[in-house]
């Protein structure tokens, strides 16, 4: 027996199955897609868009990589990022963003990948069908990489952080680069994370700072 509440399902074991709170962002001109795992709980979101926690450094990394300014996407003096500014930039550059997990259980009630139980992964075929020009995927952390590789018909060895491997999915020729997590819990400085992402975007042919 289970109870449905909005985008969650409460199982008999007191586990709550959540559906990703917002859809993938998929510009028609996408050539590059970044894929994380699953957004944080609602109280940790400073905006209703991907990587919404102000403590997560994703949009600071983007600011450094493309504008030389970690606060480029900050919303004034607020402890929040500007979702509309981010969307406009991603659309201009042809960068998509999509979590690798569609439904999940937070075993400890937080955003930790270590305690995220994947109930249903992303429907990757449906996503790629909407972005036919996508050639490169960057997974933002180990868990996201593992989930993505689990969707492939053939077993592929987990790449090291910074490593790029080619793969084919339903006729799509793609590359996968495992990038460092932008969570503050990941033991790498902001500058080092930005260097890793710059290298990735440069290799994908995008113009960085």
């Amino acid at each position: 027996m289970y109870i449905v509440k909005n985008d969650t399902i409460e199982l008999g074991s007191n586990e709550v199955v959540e559906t990703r709170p917002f859809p993938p962002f998929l510009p028609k001109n996408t050539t590059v897609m970044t894929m994380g795992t699953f957004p944080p709980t609602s109280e940790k979101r400073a905006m209703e868009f991907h990587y919404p926690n102000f403590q997560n450094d994703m949009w600071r990394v983007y600011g450094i990589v493309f504008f030389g300014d970690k606060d480029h996407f900050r919303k004034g003096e607020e402890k929040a990022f500007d979702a509309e500014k981010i969307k406009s930039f991603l659309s201009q550059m042809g960068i998509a963003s999509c979590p690798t997990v569609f439904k999940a259980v937070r075993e400890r009630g937080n955003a930790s990948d270590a305690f995220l139980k994947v109930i249903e992964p992303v429907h990757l075929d449906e996503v790629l069908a909407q972005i036919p020009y996508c050639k490169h995927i960057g997974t933002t952390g180990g868990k996201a990489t593992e989930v993505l590789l689990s969707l492939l018909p053939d077993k592929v060895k987990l790449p090291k952080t910074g490593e790029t491997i080619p793969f084919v999915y339903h006729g799509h020729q793609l590359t996968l680069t495992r990038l460092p997590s932008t969570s503050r819990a990941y033991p790498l400085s902001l500058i080092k994370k930005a260097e890793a992402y710059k290298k990735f975007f440069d290799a994908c042919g995008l113009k960085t700072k």
Side-chain angles (χ1 to χ4, degrees), residues 12-198:
S13 61
N14 293 324
E15 288 188 335
V16 176
V17 179
E18 296 181 47
T19 300
R20 67 182 180 217
F22 17 82
F25 186 75
L26 307 172
K28 295 296 183 183
N29 60 335
T30 292
T31 58
V32 181
M33 178 164 60
T34 57
M35 303 187 76
T37 48
F38 203 68
T41 54
S42 57
E43 62 269 19
K44 294 291 186 181
R45 298 176 205 152
M47 63 176 178
E48 291 301 299
F49 192 63
H50 303 255
Y51 306 97
N53 189 334
F54 190 67
Q55 295 305 309
N56 188 292
D57 284 325
M58 179 59 75
W59 303 118
R60 293 183 185 88
V61 165
Y62 267 77
I64 293 170
V65 170
F66 291 100
F67 299 96
D69 176 12
K70 67 181 178 63
D71 291 321
H72 180 81
F73 292 108
R74 185 170 178 175
K75 195 172 185 178
E77 296 301 314
E78 295 181 37
K79 290 186 176 181
F81 298 107
D82 189 328
E84 295 309 311
K85 188 173 185 178
I86 292 168
K87 291 176 187 178
S88 177
F89 168 75
L90 296 178
S91 295
Q92 176 187 346
M93 296 297 291
I95 302 174
S97 180
C98 176
T100 56
V101 178
F102 182 58
K103 293 179 184 289
V105 170
R106 304 181 199 274
E107 295 182 316
R108 295 200 177 177
N110 57 31
S112 173
D113 282 354
F115 302 103
L116 187 74
K117 181 193 290 186
V118 179
I119 302 300
E120 186 178 341
V122 65
H123 303 155
L124 187 59
D125 52 342
E126 295 179 7
V127 171
L128 291 175
Q130 297 178 65
I131 47 173
Y133 304 113
C134 184
K135 298 296 182 186
H136 309 285
I137 293 176
T139 46
T140 63
K143 181 80 169 186
T145 310
E146 291 173 3
V147 175
L148 183 62
L149 292 181
S150 74
L151 303 176
L152 306 186
D154 299 317
K155 188 173 182 179
V156 178
K157 183 180 178 181
L158 186 72
K160 298 176 181 178
T161 301
E163 185 180 356
T164 299
I165 59 173
F167 73 101
V168 179
Y169 185 80
H170 288 199
H172 294 267
Q173 298 278 347
L174 299 155
T175 67
L176 165 64
T177 302
R178 177 179 171 181
L179 297 166
S181 169
T182 52
S183 166
R184 294 282 178 91
Y186 189 77
L188 192 67
S189 71
L190 175 60
I191 293 303
K192 290 294 184 181
K193 290 177 183 180
E195 288 174 356
Y197 279 72
K198 183 180 187 311

